[in-house]
Amino acid sequence: MHSDNLPATKMLTFLSAGSAAGQQAAPIPFTKAEILAFPEVKEWLAKGYELDSFDNKLSPKDAQQVILLVVLNRL
């Protein structure tokens, strides 16, 4: 895909592992360093994007699972 055809904003979604049977530990949110290490994020950064924002949310179906929303913008 040529850079002229790339969107101005790219949104990615990641999920942490869900809860194991009987697990009661609090879910751990993703850090910026972890996000920047994801292969999919690295791929978009290499295309000229930068990390705009990210948001950790708890899954409504599994209170032990984190849903990560990542927003990347073109430079």
Side-chain angles (χ1 to χ4, degrees):
M1 182 180 282
H2 292 89
S3 63
D4 296 341
N5 298 331
L6 294 173
T9 301
K10 179 66 178 173
M11 296 173 60
L12 302 171
T13 304
F14 301 94
L15 302 173
S16 69
S19 62
Q23 180 184 7
Q24 295 299 320
I28 300 171
F30 292 95
T31 65
K32 183 177 180 179
E34 289 174 316
I35 293 164
L36 294 174
F38 289 150
E40 296 91 341
V41 173
K42 284 182 174 182
E43 179 183 329
W44 287 98
L45 294 175
K47 293 178 184 179
Y49 285 74
E50 66 180 356
L51 179 63
D52 179 60
S53 63
F54 63 93
D55 192 16
N56 288 284
K57 298 191 176 278
L58 291 179
S59 169
K61 295 181 180 180
D62 183 349
Q64 302 302 313
Q65 186 176 47
V66 175
I67 300 171
L68 174 64
L69 305 172
V70 178
V71 178
L72 302 164
N73 287 321
R74 285 184 67 183
L75 298 173

